[in-house]
Amino acid sequence: MADILRHHRHHNPRIGEIPVPHGPETGQEHDDYPAHHTSDYERRIFAHITRPDDSYTANGAYWADLPLRERVPFVAKVDREEAAKELRVTGRMMKQDPLSPLTWYFRHAVLPGAGLGLEGYVLFSIGNLEPLFAAAWPQCWGPDATVCAKNWIASVTYLEIVGIMIGQVGVGIIGDWIGRRWGLIQDALIMLLGLLLLTASWADSLQGWVIFYAWSLFVYGFGVGGEYPITATSSMESAVTAGRLSTRDDRLHRGRRVTSAFLMQGWGQLANQVVLIALLAIFNGGGAAPYSVSAAQFTFRLSFAFPAIGTLWLVYYRTWKMPRANRQLDLAKRRSGVTGYDVAALRGCVRHFGGRLLATAGTWFCNDVFFYGNKLFQGRFISVISTNPDSVMEKWTWNFVNVVVSLAGYYAASLLIDNKLYGRKMMQQVGFLVCFITFVIPAFRYDYYTSPEGIRSFQAMYFLSSFFNQFGPNSVTFLAAGEVFPTPVRASAHGFSACMGKAGALLAAVLYSYLDDREKFRFVPWFGLAGVLLTWLFLPDTTGLDLREQERRWDYIRRGKADEYRGVAVHPAHLSLWERMRGVGRAYDPGKDLRARIDDLRVEWEAEQEVCAAEKESDEAQDVGDWSEEIHGYFRGSSKTEECQNSDDEKGRSGSAGSNGGVMTGRSIGPEGGEENRT
């Protein structure tokens, strides 16, 4: 029996791998696999990493290398199989617990996007409350105000946007310097402080209250601005650090994962509109005019108090339930030998990815001019079709309809953003183009479309622009600004791009006060056309590209060997037109890259074992990498780094000889190198 157990220790696979039968023990077994196997052996054991079946055909051809007539059926097959697998998993979950899919969605979409949901709620509330304030305090907020200075009324918007811009850049740098986790916690704390200030804002005069209110928005804006880079990077990197299926999930669902968090912004806007309508109906006798000062006070203060409760919970969750948010950044810094902010990485990013920075910042700038300009439609068509255009409740009702349309756009983006035949770049170009068309048409026939005869077409263009703004640049800019840059400066680049976006909103807020409606419609459309051109020329399409492969290319750049990298990150399909014109894609050679990839995997394996060992000492260890037992053995034979085995591994190794009874769980590697989920 001792001999059997000793033999089992050498050959027992990790949980989820199909056990390969071995012959009787001969006494000549070795603890480790030799390091000089043939390339056929290497191709076999590394196939699920170097040639995964969701990106490569059975013959080893990358999906982007296939001619269109072969690419379409291959991509459709992968998507169909993945959708079928997800439906099967959902069915099994519902059999065990009918509400478990909702629990999964809450954990993977609602929680990561909770900060953005609160941001959408509060910032949307600012614009919604202005007509109520104007009705309740016309001497301060009305067009003929006599008590409050117009500059301070305008500063409510300006200080909000400036606070967001400072937060986006500042917290982006903090996220790359101190870590993602600290950025997440401090954002929640600052947002909580801002909400408490907004709820309790008071003064002995209306002018004083407006000043207090404006600076409270600045504080809140700083916190919410940091949510952009921190939420995007942490949502993106969590897929890469989630376990054995991380890289497959990253390739197939990274965009959906990030946009699922981002679309919580839309749910926040929807919740705000519902809460405001309900509060005004309760405190103002059904919500009809006139609006009392008391009703306005209760409505706006309670509308800020409710999200303060949610933000307090967010502080708790991020402090005690997200201990591993820094893991991917720590790995990148360990490989680079950096402890603080990676200034060299920032210089390298500007040098090698300057065109990408122009794309992400420039397109976000153009999009926010459009996003702000979308409000131009609403006020105009309400004044024509409404029987009571001055009714706050009627304006909020139309806002509610528009938010529902926008939310549909968010979900459409989430569903198609990872589709290799459509993807990020096409989605952004189409979205910008549709927004350009919907604004340029009424710009040149303004009188007709704002008349009773053409107002329905005008209204339809309004809803189309709302839908395609979300199903286009608003979702893609949030995702692309993080994923096209390397880990050490990802939050900084995202924060800078988002800041440039808010600069577009600030430009719109300032200029619109000097232009009439007709001139605004002639001003806005050209930013859509500029967005199309910037996307086409400078933005790479990272749809289907493994985030780890981008990090691998970055490692080559850091070592001064950019020309030696030949992997798929420089495939022409994943480069911008600007990068291809500069010759970046000429180095692509999948055949020569295979040997280099295996050597690079050794370095990655050693780094992960060191991190795993450190985490094990602090009781935070979890399974890392996508390594099979054969790969562990292959690397053990020629590495001085000890393999890290956490408690799950040890339990699995001992348990498979006992009560597991041959039932396969987790991941198995099929004959073609594909990965399957087994239960």
Side-chain angles (χ1 to χ4, degrees), residues 55 224 633 646:
S55 299
V224 88
N646 62 36

Side-chain angles (χ1 to χ4, degrees), residues 77 83 88 96 297 333 384 397 404 469 550 597 622:
K77 176 176 176 291
R88 289 196 300 271
Q96 297 175 0
Q297 290 274 14
K333 287 187 174 183
V384 177
T397 303
V404 172
N469 183 260
Q550 293 193 95
R597 179 77 191 278
Q622 75 170 32

Side-chain angles (χ1 to χ4, degrees), residues 177-454:
W177 180 16
I178 302 176
R180 318 292 197 227
R181 183 168 179 262
W182 173 249
L184 288 164
I185 295 171
Q186 77 148 34
D187 278 348
L189 285 170
I190 295 173
M191 286 194 296
L192 178 61
L193 174 62
L195 284 168
L196 293 177
L197 291 173
L198 287 167
T199 303
S201 58
W202 202 269
D204 58 1
S205 67
L206 281 174
Q207 172 90 332
W209 168 62
V210 170
I211 295 172
F212 194 131
Y213 183 74
W215 282 108
S216 300
L217 275 176
F218 175 83
V219 173
Y220 184 80
F222 182 89
V224 88
E227 281 297 299
Y228 285 79
I230 289 298
T231 300
T233 53
S234 59
S235 296
M236 195 175 304
E237 291 168 359
S238 65
V240 180
T241 59
R244 298 176 186 170
L245 293 179
S246 60
T247 54
R248 182 182 181 90
D249 184 70
D250 177 63
R251 289 185 299 270
L252 294 177
H253 305 304
R254 181 175 67 247
R256 186 180 70 181
R257 190 183 188 98
V258 176
T259 52
S260 292
F262 181 60
L263 66 79
M264 290 308 300
Q265 184 184 69
W267 280 108
Q269 294 172 2
L270 188 71
N272 171 256
Q273 200 61 80
V274 171
V275 168
L276 286 178
I277 290 173
L279 289 175
L280 189 60
I282 292 170
F283 293 109
N284 202 69
Y291 304 101
S292 68
V293 170
S294 174
Q297 290 274 14
F298 276 110
T299 298
F300 98 82
R301 294 186 189 281
L302 285 175
S303 72
F304 289 134
F306 292 149
I309 299 171
T311 307
L312 180 62
W313 180 86
L314 194 63
V315 173
Y316 156 76
Y317 182 81
R318 290 179 173 181
T319 304
W320 279 279
K321 300 296 183 180
M322 298 183 69
R324 300 176 55 82
N326 290 335
R327 192 174 190 281
Q328 190 69 10
L329 179 65
D330 291 342
L331 276 172
K333 287 187 174 183
R334 184 183 292 269
R335 287 196 297 265
S336 304
V338 175
T339 54
Y341 190 82
D342 199 337
V343 179
L346 183 63
R347 288 196 297 264
C349 178
V350 173
R351 178 185 173 189
H352 292 275
F353 301 127
R356 299 184 176 197
L357 198 59
L358 176 61
T360 55
T363 56
W364 209 326
F365 179 91
C366 294
N367 176 65
D368 270 31
V369 175
F370 258 111
F371 194 75
Y372 203 91
N374 184 261
K375 298 177 183 178
L376 297 175
F377 281 98
Q378 180 172 299
R380 195 63 194 150
F381 79 71
I382 288 177
S383 66
V384 177
I385 67 175
S386 173
T387 56
N388 186 11
D390 295 327
S391 169
V392 173
M393 191 65 81
E394 183 151 358
K395 291 177 182 177
W396 286 356
T397 303
W398 281 113
N399 274 344
F400 177 82
V401 175
N402 186 49
V403 171
V404 172
V405 173
S406 297
L407 199 55
Y410 279 113
Y411 275 99
S414 182
L415 288 173
L416 287 178
I417 203 163
D418 287 310
N419 185 282
K420 297 182 180 72
L421 302 178
Y422 193 64
R424 288 102 156 111
K425 188 167 184 173
M426 181 65 72
M427 184 181 292
Q428 180 153 297
Q429 287 176 299
V430 170
F432 268 128
L433 188 60
V434 172
C435 287
F436 167 73
I437 293 170
T438 55
F439 273 82
V440 81
I441 291 175
F444 291 99
R445 295 196 65 192
Y446 184 77
D447 291 332
Y448 169 74
Y449 285 109
T450 55
S451 67
E453 293 77 17

Side-chain angles (χ1 to χ4, degrees), residues 641-662:
T641 304
E642 238 181 90
E643 179 190 355
C644 174
Q645 296 177 0
N646 62 36
S647 58
D648 290 339
D649 290 332
E650 292 162 0
K651 289 176 184 177
R653 290 169 194 269
S654 61
S656 59
S659 61
N660 203 30

Side-chain angles (χ1 to χ4, degrees), residues 4-21:
I4 293 175
L5 291 176
R6 181 165 57 85
H7 182 68
H8 170 79
R9 185 181 68 248
H10 293 308
H11 296 290
N12 180 53
R14 292 162 69 105
I15 294 177
E17 292 175 7
I18 300 175
V20 179

